[in-house]
Amino acid sequence: MKIGASTLCGFKDSIESNLDYFEELGIRYAEILHQFPNEQLNTDSLNSYNLKYSIHSPILNINIGSLNKAIRKASIAEIKKSIDLANKIDCDIVVVHPGMIPFLGKDYEDFIYGLTNSAIKELGEYGNDLGVITTIENMPAFEGMMYQNIESLTNTLEEYNMFMTLDVGHANHTNHRPNEMYSNRVKHIHIHDNTSLDDEHLALGEGDIDLKTIIGIYEENKFDGVYTIEVNTPEAVKKSLSYLNSL
C-alpha cells in the first residue's frame, strides 16, 4: 500500500518545508499543489528529495469549462504548465479539477459540459504526448461543481480512455456509499475525512467515512496507485498516518 501526502497541509509555506516534513514522517510519495504561492518551483530542488511525486494542477481562478473563451483557454494553458512540470521531474500523475457552472450558466449546462469534456480530452492528449497521466477528480456537493457523480465521470473517462483521481472525502460529501466509490478508471486516490455535511479535509478518523471498507475494496481489486493524505494541517497528516497504521 503506497501512502503519500499533499502539500495542501502547508500550502502557504515553501514546498521544501512540506517535503522536509514528509521525509521526517517516513512518507515516500508527495503531491505538490502547483499554484500560488508556489507556481515557480525549482526542479533541481524537487529532484534532490528521495520522494516520488504527483502534481495537483492549480484550482484558484481556474475553469476549464468557462463560457468565456479567453478564461477557458488560459485555464487549460495553466494546467498544461503542471503537466510540463510533471514531465520535468519524471512524475506520472497530474490531478485536474473539472469545470464549474456559474449561476447564470444553469440554462447552458449541456453546453458547458461539452466545453469541459473537450478540455479534458485536450489535456489528456497533451499529457499522453509527454508520458504523463492526466487524471480528473470527482467534486464535492457544492453548487456549480461538475462531475460530482463518480459513475458519470467514469463514463466520460472511459470514452476518452482517461483516468480518475478518486477523492474519498468529496465522494462522502455527495453521499456515495463505499461500494459506489469504486471505479476501474481510478489511478490515484485522495483520502481525508468529513462528516458528509461539508468538505472539511479532516484528519483520518475524525469524521464518519468508512475508510477501511473503501481501501479494502480497492486492495481487493489490486489498486496499485497512491493513497494521498489531503488534509489541512501538518499535524493532521501525522494523525492520519497513525490512523492508517491502526487499520
Side-chain angles (χ1 to χ4, degrees):
M1 181 176 175
K2 301 172 185 176
I3 298 173
S6 166
T7 62
L8 173 69
C9 70
F11 79 95
K12 295 179 183 178
D13 303 320
S14 71
I15 292 295
E16 286 78 9
S17 65
N18 283 272
L19 302 183
D20 288 339
Y21 180 64
F22 295 166
E23 285 200 331
E24 287 173 12
L25 293 177
I27 291 172
R28 295 177 54 209
Y29 300 88
E31 182 161 294
I32 296 170
L33 182 56
H34 186 207
Q35 66 168 35
F36 178 86
N38 291 299
E39 303 104 317
Q40 304 300 320
L41 298 174
N42 185 323
T43 56
D44 289 338
S45 175
L46 296 179
N47 286 327
S48 71
Y49 289 87
N50 188 30
L51 293 164
K52 294 185 177 180
Y53 296 111
S54 56
I55 305 292
H56 198 309
S57 64
I59 55 179
L60 291 175
N61 307 123
I62 296 291
N63 185 2
I64 64 172
S66 176
L67 288 167
N68 183 304
K69 184 177 180 180
I71 291 174
R72 187 170 67 253
K73 288 181 67 176
S75 296
I76 293 169
E78 289 301 305
I79 293 170
K80 286 181 177 179
K81 291 179 183 178
S82 293
I83 297 173
D84 291 337
L85 172 64
N87 174 256
K88 290 177 182 177
I89 60 173
D90 195 26
C91 160
D92 293 335
I93 298 286
V94 170
V95 181
V96 176
H97 281 196
M100 293 278 294
I101 299 173
F103 176 75
L104 292 177
K106 290 181 178 179
D107 292 334
Y108 302 96
E109 286 192 7
D110 289 345
F111 183 69
I112 294 171
Y113 265 94
L115 295 175
T116 293
N117 290 346
S118 178
I120 287 172
K121 183 180 179 183
E122 179 180 343
L123 291 166
E125 291 171 348
Y126 188 82
N128 286 341
D129 289 342
L130 294 178
V132 175
I133 301 172
T134 304
T135 65
I136 310 302
E137 183 175 351
N138 61 299
M139 291 290 98
F142 294 132
E143 185 176 5
M145 286 195 167
M146 303 174 70
Y147 284 118
Q148 299 178 21
N149 182 271
I150 291 171
E151 183 179 3
S152 176
L153 179 54
T154 295
N155 291 338
T156 294
L157 296 177
E158 283 180 342
E159 180 180 351
Y160 300 141
N161 194 26
M162 290 178 63
F163 296 96
M164 184 190 311
T165 286
L166 170 69
D167 190 296
V168 170
H170 293 174
N172 193 58
H173 191 224
T174 50
N175 295 314
H176 286 75
R177 294 186 294 272
N179 64 300
E180 295 171 332
M181 295 187 195
Y182 180 76
S183 169
N184 61 4
R185 290 281 111 188
V186 172
K187 282 283 189 183
H188 189 67
I189 297 179
H190 287 165
I191 50 175
H192 49 94
D193 217 334
N194 61 48
T195 57
S196 77
L197 300 177
D198 201 357
D199 180 31
E200 298 158 291
H201 286 259
L202 301 174
L204 303 180
E206 293 186 354
D208 58 23
I209 296 178
D210 183 3
L211 189 63
K212 184 175 182 179
T213 296
I214 297 164
I215 290 176
I217 291 170
Y218 274 89
E219 292 300 297
E220 287 172 7
N221 284 278
K222 303 187 186 308
F223 175 70
D224 191 41
V226 178
Y227 297 90
T228 297
I229 299 167
E230 192 184 48
V231 291
N232 292 321
T233 67
E235 182 60 30
V237 174
K238 190 174 183 179
K239 288 181 178 179
S240 296
L241 277 176
S242 295
Y243 178 83
L244 287 171
N245 289 330
S246 73
L247 290 180

